[in-house]
Amino acid sequence: AYGDVYHSKNGGPEQARHVFLAGNDLPMRWQDKSSFCVLETGFGLGLNFLATWLAWRADPQACRELQFVSLEKHPFSAADLSVAQAVWPAYAEIAAALRHHWPPLVPGEHVIRLDEGRVVLRLVFGDAMATLPVLEAKVDAFFLDGFSPARNPELWSPEVCCHLVRLANSGATLATWSVAGSVCRALQDAGFSVEKRPGFAGKRQMLTGRLG
């Protein structure tokens, strides 16, 4: 539908760790906290969630509760996720647990509790322009991972950026692979200070930001 890809051909898990985890200074920022909340603008194949969950599991100082809120307009079925996720053997166990609890593909919010309830995944199925205005969360880190701004401009719009600010905790951070001028301006106008960092693999730059 968008003529785009879900992750870099140079390695999806590596991209998730470089752009979204390291870009938000994780796992350091969640350490020794009672709770930490991530909001992602495109769940896709679940790669960023799986990478975050595995990093949380491996961190002896991880926050007591990890909340992960993810928006998705076009969710996959559990069967299709099984095929796609099979190429990431390091995530096999947790990916199977995710698929076991995968909700029906109906619009609205679906809450999945994993790892004895310490990982709370809130999947929000529907158009972000309809779901973001009514969403409630206190977000510490944003993973901006929609399709390319040139292909899916709505998900990078000034309106979306303003909703992110509404949902953000003080000092919230963001990371994305996109360094499009329109994205930088929308984030800055909403109140984020942004900077470019070295990108993943063949991409020269990526974008990070902080609120307040």
Side-chain angles (χ1 to χ4, degrees):
Y2 296 92
D4 207 347
V5 297
Y6 279 100
H7 60 75
S8 169
K9 65 181 180 181
N10 293 299
E14 294 84 354
Q15 181 185 34
R17 290 191 292 267
H18 179 93
V19 175
F20 297 105
L21 289 170
N24 280 286
D25 300 322
L26 298 174
M28 182 182 69
R29 288 184 53 240
W30 68 36
Q31 290 180 346
D32 299 320
K33 294 183 182 295
S34 59
S35 182
F36 191 90
C37 181
V38 175
L39 187 148
E40 176 185 45
T41 54
F43 188 80
L45 301 174
L47 177 56
N48 293 331
F49 170 66
L50 294 174
T52 304
W53 183 8
L54 196 65
W56 176 88
R57 269 190 162 191
D59 183 5
Q61 294 177 269
C63 52
R64 175 167 168 70
E65 179 186 74
L66 175 65
Q67 298 183 39
F68 199 101
V69 185
S70 193
L71 314 178
E72 181 53 58
K73 186 176 181 179
H74 304 287
F76 283 94
S77 68
D80 286 340
L81 285 177
S82 179
V83 174
Q85 293 168 348
V87 300
W88 308 318
Y91 299 152
E93 178 194 349
I94 60 175
L98 170 64
R99 295 192 303 271
H100 178 73
H101 294 281
W102 194 245
L105 304 186
V106 297
E109 181 172 325
H110 307 270
V111 180
I112 299 174
R113 297 183 181 274
L114 302 155
D115 253 337
E116 299 179 340
R118 294 180 61 200
V119 174
V120 181
L121 173 61
R122 296 170 58 190
L123 287 166
V124 184
F125 292 161
D127 191 316
M129 300 307 292
T131 59
L132 267 176
V134 296
L135 184 66
E136 295 295 332
K138 293 293 185 182
V139 179
D140 300 295
F142 294 96
F143 293 3
L144 305 187
D145 196 24
F147 290 117
S148 163
R151 311 266 184 177
N152 187 22
E154 276 192 350
L155 210 48
W156 307 87
S157 67
E159 292 80 8
V160 165
C161 293
C162 287
H163 284 304
L164 301 184
V165 171
R166 178 184 66 82
L167 295 167
N169 272 329
S170 177
T173 62
L174 66 87
T176 178
W177 44 265
S178 177
V179 292
S182 60
V183 173
C184 294
R185 289 190 294 273
L187 290 169
Q188 289 172 324
D189 289 347
F192 288 97
S193 58
V194 299
E195 68 170 332
K196 294 175 182 177
R197 296 187 188 179
F200 173 70
K203 198 167 190 314
R204 190 166 63 89
Q205 294 177 314
M206 57 175 273
L207 197 69
T208 63
R210 182 176 294 271
L211 186 66

